[in-house]
Amino acid sequence: MNSSISRVVVLDQHLPEALPVQRVEVRRITIDPHTALGAHVHNGPVFGNIVSGSAVYQQSEDTEPQVLHPGDVFYEPAVERIARFDTEEEGVTFLAYFPLAAGQDATLDLV
């Protein structure tokens, strides 16, 4: 076994139901500094990891906001209202992974 390889689980997210995933779309998303995306809903689950900058993330009104930094991962459940994904002075760039069914496109609706 090669000792120069390290494998660490950083997120092991159970989903509320099985998904008929045909493909996974990966997007590099950059949000300018001082942008309040605010409450929103996705039509499917979203997994992400911060590449640079930071964002204030709050999954629901009942949870505490957390500041995500480079290397942090996050999960946004399908069709549930996400309370915040807002940037501060440095903005943020992250990779977002969208598991999609056949014929499905990823959507984001502000609420």
Side-chain angles (χ1 to χ4, degrees), residues 13-63:
Q13 181 65 53
H14 288 79
L15 300 175
E17 61 188 9
L19 295 177
V21 176
Q22 181 192 42
R23 65 191 179 97
V24 176
E25 184 176 278
V26 181
R27 298 179 185 177
R28 179 181 307 275
I29 299 172
T30 300
I31 303 175
D32 289 337
H34 304 289
T35 300
L37 180 60
H40 63 279
V41 174
H42 292 278
N43 65 333
V46 180
F47 298 86
N49 67 296
I50 305 298
V51 174
S52 64
S54 64
V56 178
Y57 174 64
Q58 185 175 7
Q59 194 171 72
S60 72
E61 297 295 336
D62 300 332
T63 60

Side-chain angles (χ1 to χ4, degrees), residues 1 49 69-71 82 86 103:
M1 184 162 171
N49 67 296
H69 299 282
I82 304 302
D86 304 337

Side-chain angles (χ1 to χ4, degrees), residues 38-98:
H40 63 279
V41 174
H42 292 278
N43 65 333
V46 180
F47 298 86
N49 67 296
I50 305 298
V51 174
S52 64
S54 64
V56 178
Y57 174 64
Q58 185 175 7
Q59 194 171 72
S60 72
E61 297 295 336
D62 300 332
T63 60
E64 289 295 316
Q66 58 183 320
V67 179
L68 301 175
H69 299 282
D72 289 341
V73 297
F74 61 92
Y75 163 67
E76 296 186 353
V79 300
E80 289 187 21
R81 184 179 187 271
I82 304 302
R84 292 177 69 186
F85 197 94
D86 304 337
T87 64
E88 295 178 320
E89 50 277 337
E90 57 187 344
V92 71
T93 296
F94 61 98
L95 296 176
Y97 303 82
F98 300 86

